[in-house]
Amino acid sequence: MISPSAEPLSSSIRGAGLKVTEPRLAVLAALEMQPHADADTVFSQVKRHLPGTSLQAVYGVLAALTAAGLLRKIEPAGSSARYERRIGDNHHHLICTDCGTVQDVDCVTGEAPCLTPADTAGFAVHTAEVTFWGLCPTCQTSNNQR
Amino acid sequence: MISPSAEPLSSSIRGAGLKVTEPRLAVLAALEMQPHADADTVFSQVKRHLPGTSLQAVYGVLAALTAAGLLRKIEPAGSSARYERRIGDNHHHLICTDCGTVQDVDCVTGEAPCLTPADTAGFAVHTAEVTFWGLCPTCQTSNNQR
DNA sequence: CGCGTTGTTTTTAGCGATTCAAAACAACCA
DNA sequence: TGGTTGTTTTGAATCGCTAAAAACAACGCG
C-alpha cells in the first residue's frame, strides 16, 4: 500500500481488468498530484516512493492505463506527451506557447459546436480536438519584463 | 531557375526578407505539389531536381520559411511534422487515425465559434487549433475487408 | 496457503525525428 | 566585382519513445 488514497486507485485498475501493482498505483497517484505531467515528470515522482522503478516501466504503465481507458494521453506540438486522469468528458486544453503549461478548458462557448466540420470529405470522424494556444499568466508578466 | 512557376515563388521568398536560393524554391515547389508533406517527403521531392541537397538543408529551409510566415507547420499526434503553404486563413484539419492523411477543413459550422474558450484562466489566447480525427475513405473500406 | 500461469517490470538496445556546430559556400548590396 | 551576411553542407549528437528478452510478481486455483 502506498498511501491511504491507494484503495480507490486499486479498484479502478482492477476494474479495468489489469493487475494491481505498485508502479501502477504510483503512476496514478503521481498524476493525481500533477495533472498533465509527461512521462519523465511522472517518473521522478514515482521514484520517490518506489526508487527501483525504471523509466521504461513508467512508459509501459502509461501505455497500459491509456489503452485501458484510465488515462488520456495528449500530445501537444513541440512538447513530449502528457497524461491526465480526467477522462470521459470531452474537455479541451489551453497551452502556454512559452512554458508548455497545460490547463483544462471546459467545452467551448455555446456547447459543442466544434464537433462537426462543415465538410467531412468522406472521413468517418470520431473525435474533435480543440487546443488553445496562448501565454499563461506567469509568462505574460515575465515577457513584460524584457 | 527551377521551373516556369518559380518566379512567383522567388518574390514571396524575397518579400519575406530572405535570400532566394534553389533549395528554398524547391521546397516551396514540393509543397505546392504535395500539401501536408513531412520533411522527409519534401526531401525526396527536392532531391529529384537538386540531387546535392541534404536533409538538414530541408529542415533548415522549412524552419526558415515557417518562421518567415510562408509556411505553416502542423504536428499531428503520432506522426512527424507536416508543412503547408496555405496560411493566413484559419482553417483546420481532418486527420486519418489509420494512415495519417491530412485534409484541410474550411472553418467549422457556424463561423468561428471555437476561437474563444469559456474561461481562459488568465491566458492571453492567440490561436485556436481544431483537429478532427477519423478514418479516411480509403481506410474505411480497407478496414471493412478485415 | 502455496503454486503455477499469465501478465508486468527490468535491463539493455535501438530507432526515428529533429537539432546542433563548424566550416564551406553563395546571394545580394554597395 | 568584392565583401558581408546569411545559407547549406557535413558530421554528429540528442530527445522521446519503442522493442525484446529475461527476471519477476499478482492473482486464481487447487
Side-chain angles (χ1 to χ4, degrees), chain B residues 125-144:
Chain B
V125 175
H126 56 69
T127 312
E129 187 185 7
V130 183
T131 305
F132 298 98
W133 296 92
L135 285 179
C136 71
T138 306
C139 290
Q140 283 173 57
T141 58
S142 53
N143 277 346
N144 288 340

Side-chain angles (χ1 to χ4, degrees), chain A residues 67-86:
Chain A
L70 294 180
L71 249 37
R72 179 174 163 196
K73 181 183 189 179
I74 58 185
E75 302 176 62
S79 53
S80 41
R82 287 145 187 281
Y83 296 84
E84 64 185 355
R85 297 199 58 202
R86 188 175 159 188

Side-chain angles (χ1 to χ4, degrees), chain A residues 2-89:
Chain A
I2 202 169
S3 85
S5 71
E7 187 41 50
L9 296 183
S10 303
S11 43
S12 68
I13 296 175
R14 209 184 317 270
L18 296 172
K19 288 185 179 171
V20 178
T21 66
E22 293 279 18
R24 288 178 176 175
L25 291 170
V27 165
L28 283 183
L31 283 170
E32 187 125 332
M33 298 180 55
Q34 297 205 2
H36 311 123
D38 61 13
D40 215 63
T41 304
V42 170
F43 176 52
S44 27
Q45 187 65 34
V46 166
K47 260 197 307 191
R48 292 196 196 165
H49 297 281
L50 260 54
T53 313
S54 67
L55 175 59
Q56 286 73 359
V58 171
Y59 273 111
V61 168
L62 290 170
L65 296 182
T66 302
L70 294 180
L71 249 37
R72 179 174 163 196
K73 181 183 189 179
I74 58 185
E75 302 176 62
S79 53
S80 41
R82 287 145 187 281
Y83 296 84
E84 64 185 355
R85 297 199 58 202
R86 188 175 159 188
I87 44 166
D89 65 335

Side-chain angles (χ1 to χ4, degrees), chain B residues 51-108:
Chain B
T53 314
S54 66
L55 175 59
Q56 286 75 357
V58 170
Y59 273 109
V61 169
L62 290 171
L65 296 183
T66 301
L70 294 181
L71 248 37
R72 179 173 161 197
K73 180 183 189 179
I74 59 185
E75 303 176 63
S79 54
S80 40
R82 288 145 186 281
Y83 297 84
E84 65 185 353
R85 296 200 57 201
R86 188 175 159 188
I87 46 167
D89 64 335
N90 111 309
H91 70 273
H92 303 306
H93 296 106
L94 205 43
I95 309 184
C96 180
T97 15
D98 250 42
C99 68
T101 293
V102 178
Q103 268 283 328
D104 284 342
V105 179
D106 293 305
C107 209
V108 294

Side-chain angles (χ1 to χ4, degrees), chain A residues 75 77-78 94-97 103 105 107 109 114 116-117 120-137 140, chain B residues 75 77-78 94-97 103 105 109 114 116-117 120-137 140:
Chain A
E75 302 176 62
L94 204 45
I95 309 184
C96 180
T97 14
Q103 267 283 327
V105 179
C107 209
T109 348
C114 301
T116 316
T120 61
F123 275 58
V125 176
H126 56 69
T127 312
E129 189 184 3
V130 183
T131 305
F132 299 98
W133 296 93
L135 285 180
C136 71
Q140 282 176 57
Chain B
E75 303 176 63
L94 205 43
I95 309 184
C96 180
T97 15
Q103 268 283 328
V105 179
T109 347
C114 302
T116 316
T120 61
F123 275 57
V125 175
H126 56 69
T127 312
E129 187 185 7
V130 183
T131 305
F132 298 98
W133 296 92
L135 285 179
C136 71
Q140 283 173 57

